[in-house]
């Protein structure tokens, strides 16, 4: 038996047709809850043809409208906007009083017909009536009780992305526009990591002290760390190797807008399908490759723990069944935290901020072992007497065996005088945006060279952990 | 059942529970939120004569007068807006913000009919490319808003100075009118509340 519910406002009527839950039958004339949608139909004044669809359409309508109103209220647009063409319903602002709603018929992408898109221009009051019809539906416990108002503030990153990408910004014409922009920019400032000051220069003491006892210590942790990236441990499903290969062979999607939407989709997908959150007790990290259509093409555990526990994550079940192709992939770092959250970030972004780089050596003992190797290499390779009069600061990535992978000048003087330093001979500067994920774990060090003779101070980039 | 619930402390009005705390580090309102809340109330005052008196009455009616005690308290809370001439250099706590938002949205709801009329008038004037002074009631609202804004906001603040012209202030007032309309909805309070923290959470 189908049930109909009507939410009627001056400019908009929303009609939900659905099925009740059979278990509650027999309650006489009690108002049965609709638990399944057969058809949702939205009529707007001035438009003869209603826009309609099933559950997917309804959910898309609710999400698109909610988000659009939020940007209207805050004057800030956000990156998690469903502008990506995947969503059935999208809203965009035409001018101060006109809002355009685009609704795509379900399954229209298969036929590719553009005629399947209904375009409706709403004025502000009409838009409000649509919002109110949706609000009444959401507030009605007798209709789709599982469909609820799901609001949350846009995160700093989402707002920022929207600005970077330069999508059409809702004019934040509120006198605050300038302010809001400034606030957003200011809130960005702290994001580049601030190092803990207490550990900036403990090195002299630490180097000499750590030097003698350390040779015995470092070999032990070594074997556990290195096989991580190359060979999956025996427990996970046998195809992990192949999944990882998919990632390395495909070309990469780098378009920022595309990455933002794919990232958003991936996050949603993982959030929805990850059910047994309690099963994970520590953070599990993966590199995940996503095709243009949002399907997961492959993934690669970042460390042994993540390899062993891959079956606890929804990744395998979400894996696209389609055979591996040479389609370009978007790469993300996905972390399932022990506290039950999923974090998704574009891989490039994670890697170009070396502080959060993966497979980083942070163990104090290992750092102590690498540090003297780094120091002696630099000390032995001065070509001539230094001429600089200011402190030079570099961030240096070092492999486990002491080989310097690359470095990055951290102050202006450091960039200017790099030719004079041994680093120039020992390694390459970190190329912009091209810090490829390393197969081996690396340690990050801060190297300070002081005038007049290049006296060296070396410390772990993040300070000593104890 | 709720009597045993530890989350409801004595002295905290239950009505505040409809607005969850956002995930921001210190439990105070971000700068943009203090500005938005004050401006929203300013728009209400421009719509309704004796608006500030009605704010106090509404607070009492909603049993929020523990937080919004009297005229002085209200003045202090609203002057957390950094654009005010008499800016109070004190933060606006989340509880205080919730109280102001609930009162504001409640008043907006009572003014729904007027707000809708004015927005429709605005739309029509725009379509006919007529200036706002062709509609008496709309023009009155804009005039009052401009007067309130200029008498209370500090023109030395860049954000105020940039928006001091009649044109800019009209646009601001019309934007606020739109915001007020969306505040009147069934979930309007929540929608407004969450929008205050856009870009503020990690």
């Amino acid at each position: 038996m189908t049930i109909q519910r009507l939410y009627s406002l001056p400019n908009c009527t929303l009609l939900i047709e659905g099925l009740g839950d059979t278990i509650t039958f027999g309650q006489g004339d009690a108002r049965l809850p609709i638990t399944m949608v057969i058809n949702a139909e939205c009529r707007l004044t001035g438009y003869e043809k209603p826009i309609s669809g099933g559950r997917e359409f309804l959910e898309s309508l609710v999400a698109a409208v909610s988000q659009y109103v939020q940007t209207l209220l805050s004057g800030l647009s956000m990156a998690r906007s469903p502008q990506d063409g995947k969503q059935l319903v999208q809203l965009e602002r035409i001018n101060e009083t006109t809002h355009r709603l685009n609704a795509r018929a379900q399954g229209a992408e298969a036929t590719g017909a553009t005629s399947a898109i209904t375009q409706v221009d709403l004025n502000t009051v009409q838009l409000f009536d649509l919002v109110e019809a949706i609000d009444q539906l959401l507030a009605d416990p007798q209709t789709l009780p599982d469909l609820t108002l799901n609001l949350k503030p846009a995160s700093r990153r989402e707002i920022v992305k929207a600005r970077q990408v330069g999508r059409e910004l809702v004019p934040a014409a509120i006198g605050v526009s300038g302010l809001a922009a400034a606030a957003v920019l200011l809130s960005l400032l702290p994001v580049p990591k601030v190092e803990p000051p207490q550990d900036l220069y403990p090195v002299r003491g630490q180097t000499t002290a750590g030097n003698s006892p350390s040779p015995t210590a470092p070999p032990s942790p070594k074997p556990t760390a290195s096989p991580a990236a190359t060979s999956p441990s025996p427990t996970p499903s046998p195809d992990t190797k192949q999944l990882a290969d998919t990632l390395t062979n495909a070309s990469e999607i780098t378009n920022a807008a595309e990455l933002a939407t794919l990232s958003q989709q991936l996050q949603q997908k993982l959030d929805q399908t990850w059910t047994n959150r309690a099963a994970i007790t520590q953070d599990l990290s993966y590199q995940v490759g996503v095709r243009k259509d949002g399907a997961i093409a492959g993934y690669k555990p970042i460390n042994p723990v993540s390899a062993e526990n891959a079956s606890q994550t929804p990744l395998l079940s979400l894996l696209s069944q389609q055979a591996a192709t040479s389609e370009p992939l978007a790469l993300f770092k996905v972390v399932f935290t022990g506290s039950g959250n999923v974090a998704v970030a574009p891989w490039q972004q994670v890697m170009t901020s070396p502080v959060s780089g993966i497979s980083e050596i942070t163990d104090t003992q290992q750092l102590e072992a690498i540090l003297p190797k780094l120091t002696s290499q630099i000390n032995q390779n001065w070509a001539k007497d230094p001429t600089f009069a200011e402190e030079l600061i570099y961030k240096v990535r070092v492999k486990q065996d002491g080989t310097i992978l690359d470095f990055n000048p951290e102050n202006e003087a450091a960039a200017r005088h790099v030719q004079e330093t041994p680093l120039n001979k020992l390694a390459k500067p970190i190329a912009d945006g091209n810090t490829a994920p390393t197969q081996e774990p690396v340690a990050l060090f801060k190297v300070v060279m002081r005038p007049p003779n290049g006296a060296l101070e070396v410390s772990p980039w993040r300070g000593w952990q104890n | 059942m709720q009597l045993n619930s530890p989350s409801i402390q004595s002295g905290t009005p239950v009505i505040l529970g409809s607005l969850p705390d956002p995930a921001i580090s210190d439990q105070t309102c971000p700068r943009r939120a203090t500005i938005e809340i004050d401006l929203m109330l300013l728009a209400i005052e421009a719509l309704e004569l004796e608006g500030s008196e009605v704010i106090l009455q509404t607070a009492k009616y909603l049993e929020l007068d523990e937080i919004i005690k009297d005229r002085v308290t209200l003045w202090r809370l609203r002057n957390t807006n950094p654009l005010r001439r008499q800016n109070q250099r004190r933060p606006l706590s989340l509880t205080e913000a919730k109280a102001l938002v609930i009162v504001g949205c409640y008043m907006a709801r009572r003014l729904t009919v007027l707000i809708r009329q004015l927005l429709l008038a605005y739309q029509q004037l725009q379509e006919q490319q007529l200036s706002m002074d062709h509609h008496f009631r709309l023009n009155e609202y804009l005039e009052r808003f401009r007067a309130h804004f200029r008498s209370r906001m500090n023109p030395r603040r860049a954000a105020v100075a940039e928006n001091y012209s009649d044109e800019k202030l009209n646009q601001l007032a019309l934007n606020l009118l739109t915001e007020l309309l969306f505040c009147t909805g069934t979930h309007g309070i929540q929608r407004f509340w969450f929008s205050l923290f856009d870009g503020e959470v990690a």
Side-chain angles (χ1 to χ4, degrees):
Chain A
M1 160 176 131
T2 58
I3 311 168
Q4 290 194 339
R5 286 263 144 90
L6 184 69
Y7 303 90
S8 178
L9 281 120
N11 295 300
C12 171
T13 53
L14 185 61
L15 178 71
I16 309 288
E17 272 180 292
L19 292 174
D21 196 340
T22 42
I23 297 162
T24 54
F25 271 138
Q27 299 287 322
D29 54 359
R31 208 170 163 238
L32 288 173
I34 296 184
T35 51
M36 253 180 66
V37 188
I38 297 172
N39 189 40
E41 188 182 280
C42 181
R43 280 182 187 277
L44 295 148
T45 39
Y47 293 88
E48 248 171 57
K49 214 174 125 219
I51 47 173
S52 63
R55 171 92 190 195
E56 198 191 334
F57 160 77
L58 185 63
E59 279 179 7
S60 183
L61 179 72
V62 170
V65 166
S66 282
Q67 194 187 312
Y68 184 76
V69 170
Q70 192 153 331
T71 61
L72 208 62
L73 283 168
S74 70
L76 300 168
S77 80
M78 52 185 110
R80 70 177 143 118
S81 67
Q83 311 276 352
D84 71 285
K86 278 274 146 202
Q87 291 287 336
L88 292 176
V89 178
Q90 296 174 41
L91 275 152
E92 58 180 324
R93 190 154 187 182
I94 304 299
N95 59 36
E96 282 94 58
T97 52
T98 316
H99 319 268
R100 178 164 294 164
L101 187 151
N102 289 306
R104 194 159 46 81
Q106 234 154 327
E109 71 266 57
T111 59
T114 45
S115 60
I117 294 181
T118 314
Q119 198 173 74
V120 178
D121 282 350
L122 301 167
N123 67 30
T124 304
V125 174
Q126 286 172 324
L127 174 67
F128 170 75
D129 283 348
L130 172 61
V131 173
E132 183 55 16
I134 288 173
D135 273 6
Q136 289 182 6
L137 160 69
L138 294 177
D140 184 349
Q142 297 300 310
T143 310
L144 302 171
D146 59 324
L147 198 66
T148 50
L149 184 74
N150 188 15
L151 296 177
K152 61 171 189 205
S155 72
R156 213 167 286 153
R157 175 176 289 171
E158 286 162 334
I159 294 294
V160 168
K161 264 191 198 149
R163 291 193 175 258
Q164 284 171 347
V165 171
R167 293 233 179 87
E168 101 281 7
L169 292 179
V170 176
I174 268 255
V176 192
S177 62
L179 271 181
V184 167
L185 287 177
L186 286 176
S187 68
L188 256 184
L189 286 180
V191 175
K193 293 286 190 298
V194 180
E195 316 129 41
Q198 72 269 25
D199 294 311
L200 280 185
Y201 306 115
V203 187
R204 288 253 181 249
Q206 290 277 10
T207 339
T208 42
N211 219 343
S212 44
S214 56
T216 49
S220 54
K222 203 171 181 175
T224 56
S226 45
T230 45
S231 65
S233 11
T235 35
S237 50
D239 55 351
T240 321
K241 182 75 181 76
Q242 196 198 329
L243 296 176
D245 285 346
T246 318
L247 296 187
T248 31
N249 299 335
S251 59
E252 203 176 334
I253 297 175
T254 49
N255 178 301
E258 225 168 319
L259 280 178
T261 29
L262 286 173
S263 155
Q264 161 67 6
Q265 282 176 1
L266 181 61
Q267 172 100 39
Q268 255 178 5
K269 213 184 272 186
L270 293 173
D271 260 332
Q272 281 164 7
T273 43
W274 188 23
T275 43
N276 57 337
R277 298 192 183 213
I280 294 180
T281 48
Q282 51 183 313
D283 294 3
L284 305 177
S285 313
Y286 303 87
Q287 185 184 31
V288 176
V290 175
R291 278 202 299 265
K292 252 192 162 78
D293 59 0
I296 297 180
Y299 65 90
K300 182 161 76 179
I302 284 167
N303 51 29
V305 192
S306 307
E308 278 161 29
N309 294 297
S311 58
Q312 308 287 352
T313 74
L315 284 173
L316 192 58
S317 62
L318 283 172
L319 208 60
S320 160
Q321 298 301 318
Q322 204 179 320
T325 56
S326 53
E327 261 186 82
L329 295 180
L331 296 179
F332 295 101
K333 182 184 183 186
V334 173
V335 182
F336 299 90
T337 68
S339 51
N341 290 318
V342 190
V344 176
W347 188 260
Q348 286 283 356
Q349 194 178 322
V350 179
M351 285 319 296
T352 43
S353 103
V355 186
S356 58
I358 48 122
S359 58
E360 188 185 328
I361 300 170
T362 50
D363 179 81
T364 308
Q365 285 193 337
Q366 296 186 54
L367 290 173
E368 274 177 2
I370 300 169
L371 193 143
K373 296 179 191 162
L374 172 62
T375 317
S376 60
Q377 281 183 82
I378 298 177
N379 278 334
Q380 286 161 16
N381 281 284
W382 286 98
K384 53 174 186 174
D385 285 343
T387 61
F388 51 85
E390 296 154 83
E391 244 176 42
L392 312 184
I393 303 172
Y394 299 93
K395 173 160 51 194
V396 183
R397 298 207 298 172
V398 187
K399 290 192 209 167
Q400 187 111 34
D401 61 2
T403 323
I404 302 176
L405 192 67
D406 47 22
F407 66 91
N408 193 40
E410 291 296 307
N411 61 356
E412 194 261 331
R416 232 178 324 120
H417 294 283
V418 68
Q419 301 290 347
E420 296 173 37
T421 73
L423 283 175
N424 194 40
K425 194 160 67 179
L426 291 166
K428 289 195 170 77
I430 296 176
D432 267 344
N434 191 27
T435 41
T438 52
Q439 290 299 308
E440 287 179 65
V442 290
L444 285 167
F445 286 96
K446 173 173 179 152
V447 173
V448 182
M449 299 173 186
R450 288 183 188 283
N453 51 7
L456 211 54
E457 285 186 353
V458 183
S459 59
W461 186 252
R462 299 194 201 240
W464 294 101
Q465 293 300 317
N466 41 20
Chain B
M1 269 172 66
Q2 295 218 317
L3 288 177
N4 298 328
S5 159
S7 61
I8 296 177
Q9 300 149 11
S10 61
T12 312
V14 185
I15 194 171
L16 298 183
S18 61
L19 301 178
D21 287 348
I24 49 175
S25 47
D26 54 347
Q27 293 294 293
T28 59
C29 258
R31 178 186 162 95
R32 185 174 66 81
T34 61
I35 299 173
E36 291 263 12
I37 294 173
D38 184 36
L39 288 180
M40 173 224 198
L41 293 172
L42 203 68
I44 291 179
E45 286 176 288
L47 285 175
E48 188 165 42
L49 287 169
E50 299 296 328
S52 62
E53 188 51 43
V54 184
I55 293 178
L56 289 172
Q57 286 168 8
T58 311
K60 199 171 166 92
Y61 173 76
L62 294 172
E63 296 178 357
L64 291 170
D65 49 343
E66 276 290 302
I67 301 162
I68 308 172
K69 288 191 188 75
D70 49 29
R71 206 167 271 279
V72 178
T73 326
L74 176 62
W75 181 86
R76 283 211 185 110
L77 294 182
R78 295 187 60 184
N79 276 284
T80 56
N81 173 359
L83 304 187
R84 286 262 187 171
R85 286 176 198 268
Q86 319 280 342
N87 173 231
Q88 291 291 293
R89 298 189 187 282
R90 92 194 232 328
L92 184 67
S93 77
L94 285 183
T95 308
E96 291 162 340
K98 285 178 193 177
L100 290 176
V101 166
I102 290 171
V103 169
C105 289
Y106 186 87
M107 291 175 70
R109 203 171 283 176
R110 284 184 32 237
L111 295 165
T112 304
V113 177
L114 175 61
I115 294 171
R116 284 179 79 105
Q117 279 172 357
L118 294 186
L119 280 172
L120 284 174
Y122 168 41
Q123 159 103 11
Q124 283 159 5
L125 291 176
Q126 221 190 22
E127 279 167 7
Q128 296 159 23
Q129 300 187 321
L130 293 171
S131 67
M132 297 301 145
D133 45 15
H134 283 81
H135 190 279
F136 174 75
R137 192 65 184 84
L138 185 59
N139 195 39
E140 190 187 35
Y141 162 71
L142 296 176
E143 258 175 19
R144 286 166 53 101
F145 180 83
R146 293 197 303 263
H148 281 327
F149 187 92
R150 288 186 178 131
S151 68
R152 297 183 202 179
M153 302 300 158
N154 185 351
R156 288 200 204 146
R157 297 273 168 189
V160 176
E162 283 164 16
N163 291 286
Y164 223 62
S165 69
D166 280 6
E167 235 169 47
K168 285 277 178 72
L169 283 181
N170 283 355
Q171 197 48 55
L172 174 57
L174 290 165
N175 275 322
L176 288 167
L177 203 57
T178 306
E179 283 188 26
L180 283 181
L181 178 67
F182 286 98
C183 288
T184 65
T186 302
H187 287 306
I189 299 184
Q190 284 84 357
R191 292 190 187 281
F192 181 67
W193 176 250
F194 281 105
S195 79
L196 292 175
F197 303 97
D198 267 1
E200 306 289 347
V201 299

